[in-house]
Amino acid sequence: RRGVQADRKAVTVPVRAPVLVAGPPGVEDRLAAMRARGALKVDVKGVTLEPGGGVDVGGIHILWRQGRATNRWVRTAVEELSELEWLHSDFVGIDGLPLVDLAQRGVVVTNGAGNYSRPMAEWIILAMLAAAKHLPHFVHQSDAGVWDPSPELAELSGSVALLLGLGSVGTLVAPMAAALGVEVRGVARARRPGLPAGVSSLVGADEWRLHLHAADFVICALPLTPETERMIDASALGSMKDTAWLINVARGELIDEQALVSALDRGALG
Protein backbone atom coordinates (compact mmCIF):
# COMPACT_ATOMS: atom_id res chain seq x y z
CA ARG A 1 0.00 0.00 0.00
CA ARG A 2 1.11 3.53 -0.70
CA GLY A 3 0.14 6.77 1.03
CA VAL A 4 -1.43 9.43 -1.20
CA GLN A 5 -1.93 12.95 0.11
CA ALA A 6 -5.43 14.36 -0.33
CA ASP A 7 -7.20 17.10 1.63
CA ARG A 8 -4.35 17.17 4.16
CA LYS A 9 -4.99 13.55 5.18
CA ALA A 10 -2.97 10.51 4.23
CA VAL A 11 -5.11 8.27 2.06
CA THR A 12 -3.92 4.69 1.74
CA VAL A 13 -4.69 2.96 -1.53
CA PRO A 14 -3.67 -0.48 -2.80
CA VAL A 15 -0.80 -0.71 -5.27
CA ARG A 16 -1.53 -4.17 -6.61
CA ALA A 17 -1.02 -3.82 -10.35
CA PRO A 18 -3.15 -2.58 -11.83
CA VAL A 19 -5.05 -0.35 -9.37
CA LEU A 20 -8.72 -0.51 -10.35
CA VAL A 21 -10.57 2.81 -10.33
CA ALA A 22 -14.31 2.70 -10.90
CA GLY A 23 -16.09 5.66 -12.44
CA PRO A 24 -18.85 6.77 -14.80
CA PRO A 25 -18.57 6.51 -18.60
CA GLY A 26 -15.46 8.38 -19.65
CA VAL A 27 -13.30 7.36 -16.70
CA GLU A 28 -11.01 5.25 -18.90
CA ASP A 29 -10.40 8.17 -21.28
CA ARG A 30 -9.66 10.51 -18.37
CA LEU A 31 -7.15 8.07 -16.91
CA ALA A 32 -5.55 7.57 -20.33
CA ALA A 33 -5.08 11.33 -20.64
CA MET A 34 -3.51 11.48 -17.18
CA ARG A 35 -1.24 8.58 -18.07
CA ALA A 36 -0.15 10.33 -21.27
CA ARG A 37 1.01 13.42 -19.39
CA GLY A 38 2.79 11.41 -16.72
CA ALA A 39 0.38 12.18 -13.90
CA LEU A 40 -0.06 8.53 -12.83
CA LYS A 41 2.72 7.08 -10.70
CA VAL A 42 1.27 3.56 -10.57
CA ASP A 43 -0.44 1.25 -13.04
CA VAL A 44 -4.11 2.27 -13.02
CA LYS A 45 -7.03 0.77 -14.90
CA GLY A 46 -10.43 2.41 -15.24
CA VAL A 47 -13.62 0.40 -14.78
CA THR A 48 -16.82 1.92 -16.14
CA LEU A 49 -19.87 1.48 -13.93
CA GLU A 50 -23.27 1.77 -15.54
CA PRO A 51 -26.70 0.81 -14.17
CA GLY A 52 -27.29 -2.87 -14.84
CA GLY A 53 -23.89 -3.15 -16.50
CA GLY A 54 -23.04 -6.44 -14.83
CA VAL A 55 -19.42 -5.42 -14.27
CA ASP A 56 -17.21 -7.53 -11.99
CA VAL A 57 -16.50 -5.15 -9.09
CA GLY A 58 -14.17 -7.46 -7.18
CA GLY A 59 -10.93 -5.78 -6.18
CA ILE A 60 -12.16 -2.25 -6.78
CA HIS A 61 -11.15 -0.04 -3.85
CA ILE A 62 -11.42 3.41 -5.45
CA LEU A 63 -14.45 5.26 -6.82
CA TRP A 64 -13.98 8.44 -8.85
CA ARG A 65 -16.98 10.69 -9.28
CA GLN A 66 -16.49 12.93 -12.27
CA GLY A 67 -18.26 14.54 -15.17
CA ARG A 68 -22.04 14.38 -14.92
CA ALA A 69 -22.25 11.49 -12.49
CA THR A 70 -25.39 12.06 -10.42
CA ASN A 71 -25.90 11.55 -6.71
CA ARG A 72 -28.04 8.53 -7.58
CA TRP A 73 -25.17 7.03 -9.59
CA VAL A 74 -22.82 7.54 -6.63
CA ARG A 75 -25.21 5.91 -4.16
CA THR A 76 -25.68 2.90 -6.44
CA ALA A 77 -21.93 2.57 -6.97
CA VAL A 78 -21.23 2.77 -3.25
CA GLU A 79 -23.75 0.00 -2.63
CA GLU A 80 -22.19 -2.21 -5.31
CA LEU A 81 -18.54 -1.72 -4.29
CA SER A 82 -18.25 -3.83 -1.16
CA GLU A 83 -14.45 -3.36 -1.01
CA LEU A 84 -14.55 0.42 -1.42
CA GLU A 85 -11.89 2.31 0.57
CA TRP A 86 -11.70 5.71 -1.11
CA LEU A 87 -14.30 7.88 -2.85
CA HIS A 88 -13.09 11.00 -4.62
CA SER A 89 -15.50 13.55 -6.09
CA ASP A 90 -14.30 16.19 -8.54
CA PHE A 91 -16.96 18.52 -7.15
CA VAL A 92 -16.57 20.63 -4.02
CA GLY A 93 -20.02 19.96 -2.56
CA ILE A 94 -20.44 16.65 -0.76
CA ASP A 95 -23.99 17.22 0.52
CA GLY A 96 -25.41 14.68 -1.96
CA LEU A 97 -23.10 11.83 -0.97
CA PRO A 98 -24.19 8.99 1.38
CA LEU A 99 -21.87 10.28 4.09
CA VAL A 100 -23.35 8.29 6.98
CA ASP A 101 -22.94 4.99 5.12
CA LEU A 102 -19.43 5.91 3.99
CA ALA A 103 -18.39 6.87 7.52
CA GLN A 104 -19.75 3.64 8.96
CA ARG A 105 -17.76 1.67 6.39
CA GLY A 106 -14.61 3.68 7.03
CA VAL A 107 -14.40 4.94 3.46
CA VAL A 108 -12.16 7.97 2.97
CA VAL A 109 -13.93 10.81 1.12
CA THR A 110 -12.05 13.57 -0.70
CA ASN A 111 -13.35 16.34 -2.91
CA GLY A 112 -12.17 18.71 -5.60
CA ALA A 113 -11.81 21.80 -3.43
CA GLY A 114 -10.17 24.47 -5.55
CA ASN A 115 -10.72 22.73 -8.90
CA TYR A 116 -13.10 25.38 -10.22
CA SER A 117 -12.37 28.27 -7.87
CA ARG A 118 -10.78 30.61 -10.41
CA PRO A 119 -13.43 30.12 -13.14
CA MET A 120 -16.14 30.72 -10.55
CA ALA A 121 -14.40 33.82 -9.21
CA GLU A 122 -14.06 35.19 -12.73
CA TRP A 123 -17.72 34.42 -13.36
CA ILE A 124 -18.65 36.52 -10.30
CA ILE A 125 -16.70 39.46 -11.73
CA LEU A 126 -18.43 38.91 -15.07
CA ALA A 127 -21.83 38.96 -13.36
CA MET A 128 -20.98 42.17 -11.49
CA LEU A 129 -19.87 43.89 -14.68
CA ALA A 130 -22.88 42.61 -16.63
CA ALA A 131 -25.17 44.00 -13.92
CA ALA A 132 -23.46 47.38 -13.72
CA LYS A 133 -23.37 47.80 -17.50
CA HIS A 134 -26.89 46.44 -18.20
CA LEU A 135 -25.38 43.86 -20.54
CA PRO A 136 -28.63 41.85 -21.04
CA HIS A 137 -30.41 45.07 -22.12
CA PHE A 138 -27.81 45.82 -24.78
CA VAL A 139 -27.74 42.22 -25.98
CA HIS A 140 -31.50 42.34 -26.50
CA GLN A 141 -31.11 45.66 -28.34
CA SER A 142 -28.44 44.19 -30.58
CA ASP A 143 -30.64 41.21 -31.38
CA ALA A 144 -33.44 43.61 -32.34
CA GLY A 145 -31.15 45.87 -34.37
CA VAL A 146 -31.83 48.82 -32.07
CA TRP A 147 -29.38 51.30 -30.56
CA ASP A 148 -30.51 53.16 -27.45
CA PRO A 149 -27.68 54.38 -25.21
CA SER A 150 -30.06 55.96 -22.71
CA PRO A 151 -29.72 53.56 -19.74
CA GLU A 152 -27.46 55.09 -17.11
CA LEU A 153 -24.56 52.74 -16.54
CA ALA A 154 -23.01 52.24 -13.13
CA GLU A 155 -19.37 51.81 -12.28
CA LEU A 156 -18.05 49.13 -9.98
CA SER A 157 -15.69 51.60 -8.36
CA GLY A 158 -17.24 52.82 -5.11
CA SER A 159 -19.73 49.95 -4.85
CA VAL A 160 -19.99 47.58 -1.89
CA ALA A 161 -19.94 43.80 -2.14
CA LEU A 162 -21.00 41.62 0.77
CA LEU A 163 -19.09 38.40 0.20
CA LEU A 164 -20.68 35.47 2.03
CA GLY A 165 -17.85 32.98 2.31
CA LEU A 166 -14.08 33.33 2.27
CA GLY A 167 -13.16 29.91 1.00
CA SER A 168 -11.23 29.15 -2.17
CA VAL A 169 -13.66 31.13 -4.34
CA GLY A 170 -14.14 34.06 -1.98
CA THR A 171 -10.44 34.61 -1.38
CA LEU A 172 -9.86 34.75 -5.14
CA VAL A 173 -12.73 37.05 -6.04
CA ALA A 174 -12.01 39.57 -3.26
CA PRO A 175 -8.76 40.96 -4.75
CA MET A 176 -10.27 40.87 -8.25
CA ALA A 177 -13.19 43.02 -7.10
CA ALA A 178 -10.99 45.29 -4.99
CA ALA A 179 -8.82 45.98 -8.04
CA LEU A 180 -11.94 47.43 -9.69
CA GLY A 181 -12.57 49.75 -6.75
CA VAL A 182 -15.16 47.60 -4.95
CA GLU A 183 -15.32 47.70 -1.16
CA VAL A 184 -15.42 44.03 -0.20
CA ARG A 185 -16.88 43.07 3.15
CA GLY A 186 -16.06 39.44 3.80
CA VAL A 187 -18.23 37.20 5.95
CA ALA A 188 -16.43 34.39 7.77
CA ARG A 189 -17.42 31.99 10.53
CA ALA A 190 -14.25 32.59 12.50
CA ARG A 191 -12.24 35.73 13.11
CA ARG A 192 -8.86 35.84 11.42
CA PRO A 193 -5.64 37.48 12.56
CA GLY A 194 -5.51 39.68 9.45
CA LEU A 195 -7.55 40.71 6.46
CA PRO A 196 -7.45 38.45 3.39
CA ALA A 197 -6.23 40.15 0.23
CA GLY A 198 -8.85 42.50 -1.19
CA VAL A 199 -11.13 42.39 1.86
CA SER A 200 -11.70 45.79 3.45
CA SER A 201 -13.44 44.46 6.56
CA LEU A 202 -14.41 41.16 8.14
CA VAL A 203 -18.00 40.51 9.19
CA GLY A 204 -18.92 37.84 11.73
CA ALA A 205 -21.27 35.01 10.77
CA ASP A 206 -23.87 36.46 13.14
CA GLU A 207 -23.58 40.00 11.79
CA TRP A 208 -23.94 39.68 8.02
CA ARG A 209 -27.60 40.68 7.95
CA LEU A 210 -26.67 44.07 9.42
CA HIS A 211 -24.67 44.84 6.27
CA LEU A 212 -27.29 43.91 3.68
CA HIS A 213 -28.69 47.43 3.45
CA ALA A 214 -25.31 48.80 2.35
CA ALA A 215 -24.46 46.15 -0.25
CA ASP A 216 -24.75 46.72 -3.97
CA PHE A 217 -23.81 43.07 -4.54
CA VAL A 218 -24.54 40.14 -2.23
CA ILE A 219 -22.39 37.19 -3.27
CA CYS A 220 -23.09 33.68 -1.98
CA ALA A 221 -20.05 31.39 -1.94
CA LEU A 222 -20.81 29.14 1.01
CA PRO A 223 -21.28 25.37 1.27
CA LEU A 224 -24.77 24.01 1.82
CA THR A 225 -25.21 23.05 5.48
CA PRO A 226 -28.18 23.04 7.87
CA GLU A 227 -27.03 26.51 8.97
CA THR A 228 -26.80 27.98 5.45
CA GLU A 229 -29.90 26.38 3.92
CA ARG A 230 -32.32 29.15 2.88
CA MET A 231 -30.20 31.76 4.65
CA ILE A 232 -31.20 34.24 1.94
CA ASP A 233 -34.82 34.37 3.05
CA ALA A 234 -37.59 36.94 2.79
CA SER A 235 -36.11 38.95 5.65
CA ALA A 236 -32.67 39.07 4.02
CA LEU A 237 -34.09 39.99 0.62
CA GLY A 238 -36.24 42.66 2.22
CA SER A 239 -33.16 44.21 3.83
CA MET A 240 -31.34 44.59 0.52
CA LYS A 241 -31.46 47.67 -1.67
CA ASP A 242 -33.98 47.52 -4.49
CA THR A 243 -31.05 48.16 -6.81
CA ALA A 244 -28.83 45.45 -5.29
CA TRP A 245 -27.80 42.31 -7.15
CA LEU A 246 -27.74 38.80 -5.72
CA ILE A 247 -25.04 36.53 -7.16
CA ASN A 248 -25.06 32.88 -6.12
CA VAL A 249 -22.28 30.49 -7.13
CA ALA A 250 -23.14 28.05 -4.35
CA ARG A 251 -26.01 25.58 -4.03
CA GLY A 252 -29.41 26.91 -4.99
CA GLU A 253 -30.78 25.81 -1.63
CA LEU A 254 -28.98 28.70 0.06
CA ILE A 255 -31.79 30.87 -1.27
CA ASP A 256 -35.47 30.67 -0.39
CA GLU A 257 -36.72 30.38 -3.96
CA GLN A 258 -40.28 31.45 -3.28
CA ALA A 259 -39.08 34.50 -1.36
CA LEU A 260 -36.78 35.37 -4.27
CA VAL A 261 -39.62 35.05 -6.80
CA SER A 262 -41.80 37.29 -4.65
CA ALA A 263 -39.03 39.90 -4.41
CA LEU A 264 -38.55 39.90 -8.18
CA ASP A 265 -42.29 40.08 -8.80
CA ARG A 266 -42.51 43.28 -6.78
CA GLY A 267 -39.61 44.82 -8.67
CA ALA A 268 -36.96 44.44 -6.01
CA LEU A 269 -33.33 43.59 -6.78
CA GLY A 270 -31.35 44.77 -9.75
Side-chain angles (χ1 to χ4, degrees):
R1 293 175 181 270
R2 180 190 302 269
V4 177
Q5 193 69 22
D7 283 4
R8 300 189 181 92
K9 294 182 180 178
V11 178
T12 303
V13 296
V15 294
R16 291 184 297 274
V19 176
L20 302 180
V21 178
V27 64
E28 296 171 68
D29 292 339
R30 288 282 299 274
L31 288 170
M34 293 174 65
R35 187 179 299 109
R37 64 175 185 266
L40 299 178
K41 306 304 181 183
V42 295
D43 185 13
V44 178
K45 178 181 178 182
V47 179
T48 300
L49 293 184
E50 295 187 82
V55 176
D56 180 8
V57 297
I60 298 178
H61 300 268
I62 303 172
L63 178 62
W64 183 10
R65 180 194 190 175
Q66 55 172 284
R68 302 193 179 201
T70 64
N71 291 335
R72 181 177 180 181
W73 178 90
V74 174
R75 289 192 294 269
T76 301
V78 169
E79 292 173 0
E80 292 181 356
L81 299 177
S82 60
E83 301 175 58
L84 183 64
E85 296 182 37
W86 178 15
L87 187 160
H88 176 75
S89 174
D90 281 354
F91 309 124
V92 177
I94 59 173
D95 46 279
L97 302 181
L99 297 177
V100 174
D101 181 28
L102 292 166
Q104 290 174 344
R105 292 170 55 179
V107 176
V108 173
V109 176
T110 57
N111 67 354
N115 279 359
Y116 309 105
S117 298
R118 183 163 294 278
M120 291 173 68
E122 292 178 356
W123 191 92
I124 291 172
I125 298 299
L126 171 64
M128 294 173 71
L129 286 167
K133 306 306 180 185
H134 297 278
L135 182 60
H137 169 79
F138 287 108
V139 169
H140 292 321
Q141 279 197 337
S142 177
D143 290 343
V146 175
W147 171 244
D148 175 15
S150 61
E152 183 177 349
L153 306 184
E155 295 183 356
L156 292 186
S157 181
S159 64
V160 175
L162 184 62
L163 179 54
L164 303 176
L166 287 172
S168 60
V169 175
T171 52
L172 279 175
V173 78
M176 294 180 185
L180 294 170
V182 179
E183 178 190 337
V184 180
R185 304 181 186 182
V187 179
R189 287 178 295 180
R191 291 290 181 182
R192 306 185 182 197
L195 290 175
V199 176
S200 60
S201 61
L202 282 176
V203 177
D206 57 346
E207 302 171 335
W208 65 274
R209 290 177 181 267
L210 301 177
H211 293 258
L212 287 169
H213 72 283
D216 298 292
F217 301 95
V218 176
I219 303 166
C220 298
L222 287 166
L224 176 62
T225 67
E227 291 74 27
T228 62
E229 186 174 4
R230 295 190 178 183
M231 63 183 295
I232 305 298
D233 53 17
S235 175
L237 293 167
S239 298
M240 293 169 59
K241 298 178 181 179
D242 284 345
T243 55
W245 293 85
L246 176 64
I247 301 173
N248 182 28
V249 294
R251 299 296 195 202
E253 290 89 339
L254 264 67
I255 299 173
D256 183 329
E257 187 173 315
Q258 188 53 56
L260 177 61
V261 171
S262 296
L264 294 173
D265 283 345
R266 67 172 183 271
L269 302 182

